[in-house]
Amino acid sequence: MKPYELTATAASAAIRAGEISPVELVDSVLDRIEQVEPQLGAYVAVTADQARNAARAAEHEIAAGRSRGPLHGIPMGLKDLIDVTGLATTASSRVRATHRAEADSAVAARLDAAGAILLGKTHTHEFAYGLITPQTRNATDPTRIAGGSSGGSAVAVAAGAATFAVGTDTGGSIRVPAALNGVVGLKPTYGRVSRHGVVPLSWSLDHVGPITRTVADADLVLNALSGYDSRDPASVPTPAEDRQESDLTRLRVGVPTNYYFDHVDPEVTAAVRQGIEQLRDLGAQLVDVEIPMTRYIKAIQWGLMVPEASSYHEQTLRTAGEHYGDDVRLFLEAGELLSAGDYLRAQRARTLMRRAWAEMLAEVDVLAAPAVPMTAVPVGQETVTWPDGTSEAVADAYVRLAAPANITGVPALSLPVGQDRMGLPIGMQLLGHPFGEGTVLRTGRAYEQAAAVVPA
């Protein structure tokens, strides 16, 4: 096995055991980037020289007994919404082509303190306003979409062009590309990870979280990212959790009887239901649950996201509107047409939905469902037609099963549970109680260990 194929957990153990050095690991991943980047387009920019310098410094520190923790010497990518001092944060947009960050974001600072090594900035759908990431191609089949908006981060991890990466999630933008590329994506609870220094899309829906190869890796990265930050108004102090237990004997897994399995590809349904049965075999109790307020989910998601995004871009839309892509500019202009009353109604409906979800989740420990309704579609496909003859926009289909976790703020994990007949990855989603990442992660870890889907 080549170093770039190692999981973060395995690479960390190998570095501590002296079996591999940070320099060897970083060089291997940089070579892999050079090999696959022309075909996949995961990166906006690669900071190879800085990464090699950081790897040499990490090697000396670890050899001198000054390890900063399990991520010390581990190479990673950051979505190009996340500020790093001196580097461009373009949001994959011509609008910010000349931008340079004057300070580290909270996320970059915490990862630097943990000793992680930045390889570069990964592509996003422009300003994270989309579920495709058109600059990037799927790691399994480059004729298909990467998913978005954290498509570059997910593809980099899946292709071995980063040992882990960080993305953002406003309507599924971590979980959708993770599912479509066969990796793990975690949207933490709203308020757990600081968004200071991260270009926003929608302040009340945005989350920052890890994309990794395994659930154990996601746990490692979440530990580094988490922490109260007074600079983020949504940040919440949270106690440390014990996430080592893997016994699911008394775990109650909610299985939706509505919404999450509606208009879902049969192969996705079969793989996810098989994954749920695996949880039962591990001792979990399956509990049927009804998802509340489903008819309002799309209206709430768009009623919050569209005006909040337009508010952030109000000035640049007028001074540099010609630099936006057509799709993003259309959304931003449309957002200015929504009234304050519409926005307030969406906020009130969100409050009701949060209460309804709290009542539903009181009956279970986690909820298990598909992460996305279908696997990665070919580049350029705009609609999907379901067996009942109804059609749906591809972006609407991908956001549909992800949006509830953004509206309610609950943690949600996407992990691979199989492939369709074309070999395209299928993802299962585990959703938990607010700040219940411990339960979500141990459930996912138990599944992947039992299903023998964990890479080295």
Side-chain angles (χ1 to χ4, degrees):
M1 175 173 286
K2 296 180 180 179
Y4 73 78
E5 298 176 293
L6 294 170
T7 67
T9 304
S12 179
I15 288 173
R16 273 65 196 165
E19 298 168 356
I20 189 174
S21 73
V23 172
E24 292 172 311
L25 177 58
V26 167
D27 281 343
S28 179
V29 178
L30 287 173
D31 288 345
R32 180 63 174 172
I33 292 174
E34 187 174 349
Q35 177 186 358
V36 302
E37 186 60 16
Q39 185 179 33
L40 299 180
Y43 282 91
V44 177
V46 177
T47 53
D49 291 341
Q50 296 95 315
R52 290 190 173 99
N53 290 338
R56 286 191 287 269
E59 185 172 319
H60 292 316
E61 286 183 350
I62 293 169
R66 300 195 303 273
S67 174
R68 302 188 201 177
L71 294 182
H72 201 175
I74 306 300
M76 54 92 180
L78 291 178
K79 185 175 182 178
D80 195 26
L81 300 178
I82 300 171
D83 279 349
V84 177
T85 304
L87 298 184
T89 307
T90 72
S92 293
S93 176
R94 291 185 299 155
V95 174
R96 291 173 63 94
T98 61
H99 176 274
R100 290 293 183 276
E102 297 180 356
D104 279 348
S105 61
V107 166
R110 292 185 71 88
L111 289 171
D112 181 65
I117 295 173
L118 179 66
L119 298 166
K121 293 293 199 71
T122 57
H123 266 303
T124 172
H125 201 116
E126 185 178 18
F127 283 107
Y129 213 164
L131 273 294
I132 305 299
T133 315
Q135 309 91 330
T136 306
R137 294 292 180 264
N138 190 279
T140 301
D141 179 355
T143 69
R144 294 178 179 269
I145 67 168
S149 61
S150 304
S153 292
V155 168
V157 173
T163 305
F164 74 90
V166 177
T168 65
D169 192 310
T170 305
S173 293
I174 286 173
R175 291 159 289 151
V176 170
L180 299 188
N181 289 279
V183 291
V184 172
L186 174 64
K187 182 202 78 64
T189 305
Y190 187 74
R192 180 179 281 279
V193 177
S194 173
R195 300 163 304 168
H196 174 76
V198 179
V199 178
L201 173 58
S202 171
W203 70 268
S204 71
L205 298 169
D206 290 345
H207 302 67
V208 179
I211 297 176
T212 61
R213 293 191 188 130
T214 68
V215 177
D217 287 1
D219 201 348
L220 280 184
V221 180
L222 180 65
N223 279 335
L225 297 177
S226 297
Y228 175 70
D229 183 358
S230 62
R231 298 169 297 179
D232 180 351
S235 185
V236 177
T238 54
E241 294 179 284
D242 180 6
R243 299 197 278 266
Q244 299 308 307
E245 182 186 358
S246 59
D247 181 17
L248 303 187
T249 301
R250 290 176 294 278
L251 189 80
R252 299 166 300 167
V253 176
V255 182
T257 59
N258 64 324
Y259 190 74
Y260 276 100
F261 288 98
D262 299 340
H263 283 166
V264 172
D265 182 271
E267 289 186 274
V268 173
T269 294
V272 172
R273 290 203 180 278
Q274 185 175 357
I276 292 171
E277 287 300 317
Q278 179 73 67
L279 297 178
R280 186 209 293 270
D281 292 343
L282 292 170
Q285 175 189 357
L286 304 187
V287 180
D288 287 343
V289 296
E290 181 176 354
I291 307 300
M293 297 183 64
T294 58
R295 63 181 293 188
Y296 302 106
I297 289 172
K298 183 176 180 179
I300 296 171
Q301 175 73 17
W302 291 99
L304 296 172
M305 181 176 68
V306 173
E308 288 181 359
S310 295
S311 175
Y312 175 75
H313 290 273
E314 181 178 7
Q315 185 62 37
T316 50
L317 190 59
R318 285 156 175 76
T319 60
E322 70 277 9
H323 295 312
Y324 287 96
D326 290 343
D327 60 334
V328 172
R329 181 173 179 173
L330 179 62
F331 277 131
L332 293 174
E333 290 174 343
E336 294 191 336
L337 301 178
L338 271 70
S339 70
D342 292 333
Y343 177 68
L344 290 174
R345 278 186 284 274
Q347 288 284 14
R348 290 168 182 151
R350 190 240 294 272
T351 299
L352 295 175
M353 186 171 164
R354 281 177 168 169
R355 291 174 181 171
W357 268 64
E359 293 177 3
M360 175 191 68
L361 289 173
E363 305 300 320
V364 298
D365 300 301
V366 296
L367 191 71
V372 289
M374 71 267 194
T375 53
V377 300
V379 172
Q381 180 175 328
E382 295 183 354
T383 61
V384 57
T385 301
W386 299 109
D388 64 3
T390 60
S391 294
E392 185 177 19
V394 165
D396 286 345
Y398 284 135
V399 78
R400 173 161 42 88
L401 305 186
N406 296 92
I407 295 170
T408 60
V410 301
L413 175 77
S414 176
L415 70 162
V417 290
Q419 300 173 338
D420 68 8
R421 64 186 181 280
M422 294 180 290
L424 298 171
I426 295 171
M428 177 170 70
Q429 188 174 194
L430 299 174
L431 303 93
H433 293 255
F435 302 102
E437 281 85 353
T439 301
V440 169
L441 288 165
R442 75 178 178 91
T443 304
R445 189 168 58 245
Y447 169 81
E448 68 180 8
Q449 289 173 347
V453 295
V454 181

